[in-house]
Amino acid sequence: MSRPGYRQTAGMLDTSARLLRLLSLLQAHREWTGADLADRLGVTARTVRRDVDRLRELGYPVNASPGTGGGYQLGAGAELPPLLLDDDEAVAVAVGLRTAAGNGVEGIGEASVRALAKLEQVLPSRLRGRVAALNEFTVPMLRGPRDTVDPSVLTELAAVCRDRERLRFGYRDHGGSVSRRTVEPHRLVCTERRWYLVAWDLDREDWRTFRADRIEPRPPHGPRFTPRPAPAEDLAAYVSQGVSQHVYAARALVRLRMSAEDAARVVGPSDGVLEPVDAHSCLLRTGAVSLKVLVIHIMLLGCEFEVVEPPELTDRIRAARDLLGRALE
């Protein structure tokens, strides 16, 4: 003899499975008649109406048109409800998100990584192989050289940021030396060309910025930690300042004869930090491995400028001017 509680639980499971099947049918076609849905689900038209009402309570905007030619249609709502994807659709979305994340598409790279982390968490193993194969044997045509990072590393970094788990990894510096790091990951920050991880370095007891393409995660991760206050309110500016100035031996402050808005079109986040002065000029804080390289870096901007500091940079520019003048004689 079956127990009442067991029958109730089984009935709830049957109803939930039927609701998922109904939602999948509504997403698959533009419009269904009530009779067609009832036939597909093996229930009565009355049950279909009740199930449609349940979907509406869950936030799915199911529109119904009356009459003999009417039917049910899944519409657009004010909020995004969960979606059901078949195997081919899930693979297509995963590949698209990996492409957007790896290519640094402006404005959607970080969102792509977050969405990819959620999708790969629930992606069946049979589909993971299809996604991996498509990415392995696809060669993107990119604009110029780029430091690529494995999307699986990005999703792993996004996951530990989300779950607030300590991260252990090997880190390769500019010279190729590898060190072991243990950090409390905070956020991923992306530019057009690179991804960076902002994290609290437990060994150095300070905030650090790591290039994601130089990170080799070494799981298992954990334990969980209580997040610290962010190192800056504007993390994009914080990372930009760090990668364009603090890591370089030679630094400079230059006044550009153009507005900050126009300068932003030629000065990338990893090139320096811009500060508006007025409608026709702005300040550029930047750095390089040496003053000689800094001269070339500034000249390649292709705009009029004035060196504010250091005075040694002005001397280097004069020397470059004289050298070019002699070459043209």
Side-chain angles (χ1 to χ4, degrees):
M1 181 175 180
S2 60
R3 297 181 298 241
Y6 174 82
R7 291 197 301 271
Q8 183 179 10
T9 301
M12 292 175 61
L13 291 175
D14 290 341
T15 301
S16 299
R18 192 175 65 247
L19 285 177
L20 289 174
R21 175 63 177 155
L22 173 59
L23 179 59
S24 179
L25 291 172
L26 290 172
Q27 290 180 166
H29 291 287
R30 182 70 176 171
E31 189 171 15
W32 290 88
T33 66
D36 286 340
L37 288 175
D39 182 62
R40 288 294 190 102
L41 297 172
V43 296
T44 65
R46 182 179 180 183
T47 299
V48 170
R49 290 193 295 271
R50 288 202 303 264
D51 287 348
V52 166
D53 288 338
R54 291 191 180 99
L55 287 179
R56 288 169 177 162
E57 292 173 357
L58 293 173
Y60 294 95
V62 182
N63 302 323
S65 52
T68 56
Y72 296 99
Q73 183 179 39
L74 190 62
E79 298 181 356
L80 179 66
L83 301 176
L84 293 179
L85 302 175
D86 62 26
D87 285 5
D88 290 339
E89 292 168 341
V91 170
V93 171
V95 171
L97 290 171
R98 279 175 172 255
T99 301
N103 290 353
V105 179
E106 183 179 1
I108 68 171
E110 186 177 354
S112 298
V113 170
R114 292 199 307 268
L116 185 57
K118 294 177 182 178
L119 180 59
E120 290 196 338
Q121 187 175 7
V122 297
L123 204 63
S125 58
R126 68 177 186 278
L127 300 184
R128 292 177 186 269
R130 291 174 59 182
V131 173
L134 276 171
N135 282 281
E136 182 178 356
F137 294 99
T138 301
V139 179
M141 294 182 64
L142 304 177
R143 297 177 300 167
R146 188 184 302 269
D147 298 296
T148 58
V149 54
D150 188 340
S152 64
V153 173
L154 287 179
T155 56
E156 190 170 354
L157 297 180
V160 292
C161 288
R162 177 198 63 200
D163 298 336
R164 300 172 179 175
E165 292 182 334
R166 286 186 179 180
L167 171 69
R168 285 168 286 276
F169 59 93
Y171 190 69
R172 175 174 45 84
D173 63 19
H174 182 72
S177 300
V178 178
S179 60
R180 296 181 65 90
R181 315 299 278 267
T182 303
V183 303
E184 295 177 353
H186 182 68
R187 288 290 187 278
L188 279 170
V189 178
C190 62
T191 68
E192 184 181 0
R193 295 185 177 182
R194 292 192 180 116
W195 285 84
Y196 298 92
L197 172 68
V198 177
W200 177 266
D201 192 311
L202 292 170
D203 294 326
R204 292 153 182 80
E205 297 185 342
D206 197 5
W207 290 98
R208 290 290 190 270
T209 300
F210 303 94
R211 275 177 48 174
D213 59 294
R214 296 177 177 173
I215 291 177
E216 183 182 349
R218 294 177 178 174
H221 306 308
R224 292 180 179 269
F225 61 88
T226 301
R228 303 170 187 269
E233 185 175 347
D234 188 344
L235 281 179
Y238 172 81
V239 172
S240 178
Q241 185 176 18
V243 302
S244 64
Q245 299 173 65
H246 293 168
V247 296
Y248 294 117
R251 304 176 194 175
L253 178 62
V254 180
R255 182 169 182 149
L256 304 181
R257 301 298 182 183
M258 62 169 57
S259 67
E261 182 179 354
D262 291 337
R265 298 188 178 98
V266 295
V267 178
S270 59
D271 297 326
V273 177
L274 295 169
E275 300 176 12
V277 175
D278 52 42
H280 306 289
S281 65
C282 63
L283 293 175
L284 169 64
R285 298 183 183 275
T286 186
V289 294
S290 68
L291 288 176
K292 289 183 178 180
V293 175
L294 202 50
V295 170
I296 299 173
H297 170 60
I298 296 172
M299 292 296 295
L300 288 177
L301 296 178
C303 65
E304 295 185 7
F305 65 90
E306 172 190 350
V307 176
V308 179
E309 59 183 38
E312 295 82 6
L313 179 59
T314 303
D315 297 335
R316 290 287 185 177
I317 293 174
R318 289 196 182 100
R321 178 200 62 189
D322 295 341
L323 181 62
L324 291 172
R326 289 193 296 270
L328 296 174
E329 290 177 355

